[in-house]
Amino acid sequence: MTSDPVEKLLAEVCATLARAGFDVASASDGGSSGLRVRRETDSVMVGWVAGRELDPAGREDAEFEGIRAALRSALLAILPQAGHAVQLDRESGEVRVRLLE
């Protein structure tokens, strides 16, 4: 078990998402699509990257905003139920999970 609070938060968020049925990919796994969870200095960020199977033509303009919005709504509902403090990062569109004080 780690004594680093943010590393512990990262593990808890990944475990919560896995229990909710999400497949979680590491942000360091650059080629991977799907739900991505990454560590920041004082928080954990959760976002989503579309897989090629959603856009087989490889359009650079494909935004998938509807899927991202649905995922954000799910994350903003699931993570607080598990006791996590969350907020939407408007700049990146990702969900920020903070340590509880």
Side-chain angles (χ1 to χ4, degrees), residues 23-87:
D23 290 327
V24 179
S26 166
S28 64
D29 188 8
S32 179
S33 62
L35 195 63
R36 295 234 186 128
V37 182
R38 75 176 192 282
R39 174 196 169 122
E40 291 206 336
T41 303
D42 61 348
S43 61
V44 170
M45 299 297 284
V46 184
W48 179 77
V49 175
R52 279 181 269 177
E53 56 276 357
L54 286 177
D55 184 19
R59 296 170 299 153
E60 291 184 23
D61 63 340
E63 290 294 324
F64 306 106
E65 192 50 42
I67 295 172
R68 283 190 175 90
L71 178 62
R72 280 191 298 266
S73 293
L75 293 171
L76 291 169
I78 292 166
L79 293 168
Q81 268 190 332
H84 299 293
V86 299
Q87 71 183 97

